[in-house]
């Protein structure tokens, strides 16, 4: 009985590992998509209101979805400490669950926001969104293909280890 | 002291902490904070400039940080002001800037390689205009009044308190005062609310050039008095001339060391010649004290 239970535990553990690896990929795509929408809101708001960064970030963070919201909120919290926008944006990215690759992609914004005329900032946001969309699409495709691989790998490895134990 | 604390809020750390560590008496008397590249930051008091204890010499990076903080990380919101060499921060404090002007089509496009900054602490001194207001309104109605004084003598402070006195009815009945606050120093509007007390019957048009603001206020706000700070352009004079013809009293300030400057500067002489103002108020600093004098403008016509 104990042996059966052990085999079941090992198998389900491997299956869960595979599913988790797949979920991480799916979540990464969703997170980037969410940040992209936040940036779109920021871009449109800046073009229309030409407001100051704290107000723009505050409005961009008034969204129901989590990741984009926390990125902007964390950036605002850093600004309130009296840090520069570049340092605040980097700190906010570091606090997020984004991968190094994603963070590097978004980090470029720190050298543009609040430093140039409105049109220049809007253009930079627009360009970043295009690049981000392409990157997100790539991650999404990767999640679709690799997600299935990870899930199948979990089931197979689980089955194989279980067989070995039996 | 609170004004000082608020003003030095635009300084980056650790300079801010060093500026806040000075004696409270010094804080209360500080008029300006000076930052010059290569030199230690100093505090300007009535008796002279004193270095901030423990502060290291200023570099261009620090000046950039000051501008970033003063603009609330949003240069795009203050570009017009920056082109004129200053920006107004929360509380009405003014950050004057020096550097290399980038010219485009004969006008200043931007400032680069910042070399110095002057943070002027804006303070409201309630009651200082009481005696002057009483003299000006002695005959019932406020005459068109020009306040003339050198930079730092307290023109804006006096004008601010005169507006408050007139608007709150401290001398006679309250009158509607419309303020063309081009630099945002008089009222220091913050999200639509004035940081300075300008009285209960005051309407404020912020950040709008005086030449545009005066006709707008005349058309829309039906004022008894229009107040403007620092006349510098011919367009300002033309707009004020229009207002005088509409039966509105004018209160304005201008840079000048004394009445003799009215004749020296063609733009001022034009105002005198056109008899826009009836009364001249001058401020002199004598032995650290400010002396306010009121004269009829007619005296300086000959």
């Amino acid at each position: 009985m104990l042996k059966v239970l052990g085999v079941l535990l090992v198998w389900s553990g491997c299956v869960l590992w595979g599913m988790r690896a797949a979920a991480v990929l799916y979540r990464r795509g969703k997170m980037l998509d969410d940040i992209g929408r936040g940036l779109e809101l920021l871009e449109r708001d800046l073009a229309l209101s030409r407001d100051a960064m704290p107000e723009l970030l505050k409005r961009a963070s008034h969204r129901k979805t989590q990741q984009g919201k926390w990125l902007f909120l964390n950036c605002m919290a850093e600004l309130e400490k009296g840090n520069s926008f570049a340092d605040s944006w980097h700190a906010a990215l570091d606090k997020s669950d984004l991968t190094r690759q994603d963070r590097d992609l978004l980090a470029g914004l720190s050298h543009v926001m609040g430093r140039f005329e409105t049109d220049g900032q809007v253009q930079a946001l627009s360009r970043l969104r295009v690049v981000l969309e392409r990157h997100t699409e790539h991650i999404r495709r990767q999640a679709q293909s690799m997600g299935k691989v990870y899930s199948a790998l979990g089931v197979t490895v689980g089955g194989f280890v279980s067989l070995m134990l039996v | 002291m609170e004004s000082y604390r608020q003003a030095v809020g635009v300084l980056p750390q650790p300079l801010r902490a060093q500026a806040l560590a000075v004696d409270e008496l010094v804080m209360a008397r500080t008029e300006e904070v000076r930052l010059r590249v290569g030199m230690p930051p100093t505090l300007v008091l009535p008796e002279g400039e004193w270095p901030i204890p423990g502060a290291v010499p200023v570099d261009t990076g620090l000046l950039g940080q000051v501008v970033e903080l003063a603009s609330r990380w949003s240069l795009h919101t203050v570009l017009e002001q920056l082109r004129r060499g200053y920006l107004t921060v929360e509380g009405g404090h003014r950050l004057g800037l020096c550097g290399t002007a980038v010219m485009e089509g004969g006008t200043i496009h931007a400032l680069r390689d910042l070399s110095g900054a002057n943070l002027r602490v804006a303070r409201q001194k309630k009651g200082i205009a009481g005696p002057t207001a009483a003299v000006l309104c002695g005959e019932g109605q406020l005459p068109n009044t020009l306040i003339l004084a050198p930079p730092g003598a307290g023109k804006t402070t006096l004008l601010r308190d005169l507006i408050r006195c007139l608007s709150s009815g401290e001398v006679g009945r309250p009158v509607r005062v419309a303020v063309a606050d081009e630099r945002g120093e008089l009222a220091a509007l913050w999200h639509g609310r004035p940081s300075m007390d300008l009285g209960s019957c005051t309407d404020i048009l912020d950040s709008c050039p005086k030449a545009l603001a005066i006709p707008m206020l005349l058309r829309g706000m039906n004022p008894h008095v229009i107040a403007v700070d620092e006349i510098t352009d011919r367009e300002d004079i033309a707009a004020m001339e229009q207002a005088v013809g509409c039966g509105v009293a004018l209160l304005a300030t201008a840079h000048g060391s004394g009445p003799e400057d009215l004749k020296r500067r063609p733009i001022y002489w034009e105002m005198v010649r056109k008899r826009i103002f009836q009364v001249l108020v001058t401020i002199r600093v004598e032995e650290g004290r400010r002396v306010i004098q009121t004269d009829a403008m007619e005296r300086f016509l000959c």
Side-chain angles (χ1 to χ4, degrees):
Chain A
M1 185 63 189
L2 271 174
K3 203 173 181 180
V4 174
L5 268 175
V7 165
L8 266 174
L9 270 173
V10 169
W11 183 78
S12 46
C14 289
V15 170
L16 278 175
W17 170 82
M19 285 170 72
R20 193 177 171 277
V24 165
L25 276 178
Y26 280 115
R27 214 177 56 214
R28 187 177 163 201
K30 197 175 171 308
M31 200 190 300
L32 288 171
D33 197 40
D34 195 17
I35 290 171
R37 281 181 210 178
L39 291 175
E40 186 184 355
L41 203 68
L42 192 70
E43 181 191 325
R44 288 177 195 275
D45 198 1
L46 175 64
L48 184 75
S49 70
R50 297 175 180 238
D51 220 337
M53 284 315 294
E55 281 75 36
L56 292 170
L57 288 173
K58 202 172 169 184
R59 285 198 289 269
S61 65
H62 281 171
R63 306 172 67 234
K64 283 177 186 162
T65 42
Q66 288 299 303
Q67 278 305 321
K69 175 178 172 164
W70 285 111
L71 184 64
F72 298 128
L73 278 177
N74 284 336
C75 184
M76 245 180 69
E78 292 294 324
L79 289 180
E80 278 163 10
K81 287 180 196 167
N83 294 327
S84 67
F85 184 83
D87 290 344
S88 303
W89 185 247
H90 284 291
L93 288 173
D94 288 343
K95 279 184 194 168
S96 71
D97 296 332
L98 293 164
T99 64
R100 181 62 185 262
Q101 192 190 10
D102 303 340
R103 271 185 270 163
D104 287 348
L105 191 78
L106 291 163
L109 212 57
S110 67
H111 305 299
V112 183
M113 296 311 290
R115 291 187 173 204
F116 298 99
E117 289 174 342
T118 313
D119 294 344
Q121 294 179 64
V122 170
Q123 278 170 17
L125 274 168
S126 178
R127 270 198 297 272
L128 175 68
R129 282 203 306 111
V130 172
V131 175
L132 191 66
E133 261 169 42
R134 248 183 259 146
H135 179 65
T136 310
E137 191 50 43
H138 171 71
I139 299 292
R140 224 181 271 132
R141 274 202 303 271
Q142 201 182 19
Q144 270 173 1
S145 57
M146 293 306 286
K148 282 175 192 162
V149 172
Y150 284 137
S151 304
L153 204 66
V155 175
T156 315
V157 171
F160 183 71
V161 174
S162 306
L163 273 175
M164 293 278 282
L165 284 173
V166 173
Chain B
M1 218 163 64
E2 275 316 304
S3 304
Y4 174 88
R5 285 182 204 277
Q6 187 186 40
V8 300
V10 302
L11 301 178
Q13 295 288 14
L15 180 57
R16 190 191 312 168
Q18 286 157 346
L20 288 172
V22 299
D23 191 80
E24 289 191 351
L25 210 68
V26 174
M27 283 188 197
R29 296 170 61 241
T30 298
E31 294 170 352
E32 295 172 1
V33 182
R34 291 272 179 173
L35 306 170
R36 299 180 184 98
V37 169
M39 305 298 285
T42 55
L43 300 177
V44 178
L45 283 90
E47 62 270 25
E49 283 191 40
W50 302 95
I52 297 174
V56 295
V58 174
D59 57 23
T60 45
L62 182 119
L63 289 179
Q65 280 178 283
V66 172
V67 173
E68 190 179 6
L69 286 173
S71 68
R72 301 180 67 233
W73 311 275
S74 315
L75 275 186
H76 59 276
T77 59
V78 294
L79 274 177
E80 273 311 307
Q81 283 193 328
L82 277 180
R83 283 173 188 146
R84 281 178 261 162
Y86 68 89
L87 63 99
T88 310
V89 300
E90 185 181 0
H93 315 290
R94 197 199 309 190
L95 181 75
L97 294 162
C98 268
T100 307
V102 181
M103 303 300 286
E104 196 180 87
T107 57
I108 298 172
H109 178 65
L111 273 179
R112 65 173 165 82
D113 301 333
L114 293 177
S115 60
N118 173 25
L119 179 63
R120 291 180 68 179
V121 183
R123 285 199 178 90
Q124 177 150 34
K125 291 181 180 165
K126 285 189 187 178
I128 60 154
T132 312
V135 172
L136 291 175
C137 299
E139 287 170 24
Q141 203 181 345
L142 178 83
N144 295 335
T145 306
L146 177 70
I147 303 168
L148 192 75
K155 290 183 297 292
T156 305
T157 313
L158 180 68
L159 175 63
R160 190 185 290 132
D161 202 49
L162 267 174
I163 295 168
R164 187 192 59 80
C165 285
L166 295 167
S167 171
S168 57
E170 280 191 16
V171 278
R173 64 179 179 84
V175 293
R176 281 191 302 275
V177 185
V179 179
D181 197 5
E182 184 175 351
R183 269 172 275 256
E185 277 186 297
L186 282 169
L189 272 193
W190 193 250
H191 295 295
R193 195 181 285 265
S195 309
M196 305 286 183
D197 177 9
L198 291 190
S200 51
C201 301
T202 304
D203 302 299
I204 303 141
L205 182 57
D206 181 86
S207 304
C208 180
K210 289 182 276 289
L212 298 175
I214 293 170
M216 268 174 81
L217 290 167
L218 265 175
R219 277 195 302 265
M221 304 314 292
N222 186 22
H224 293 124
V225 177
I226 289 183
V228 297
D229 196 15
E230 291 186 18
I231 301 164
T232 47
D233 296 324
R234 285 219 147 72
E235 289 81 10
D236 300 344
I237 296 174
M240 283 191 298
E241 219 180 332
Q242 275 187 356
V244 169
C246 297
V248 175
L250 287 174
L251 254 181
T253 69
H255 282 301
S257 51
E260 60 280 4
D261 280 347
L262 290 175
K263 287 181 182 171
R264 279 197 206 120
R265 290 192 67 181
I267 184 171
Y268 291 172
W269 185 238
E270 195 182 323
M271 283 192 302
V272 178
R273 215 172 30 82
K274 287 182 173 173
R275 295 170 196 263
I276 294 175
F277 293 101
Q278 290 133 11
V279 175
L280 177 73
V281 175
T282 50
I283 309 171
R284 293 191 313 275
V285 182
E286 288 177 1
E287 293 164 3
R289 290 176 62 85
R290 287 175 169 86
V291 180
I292 302 169
Q293 194 178 327
T294 310
D295 291 292
M297 195 65 100
E298 287 287 326
R299 274 190 57 199
F300 309 105
L301 259 171
C302 42

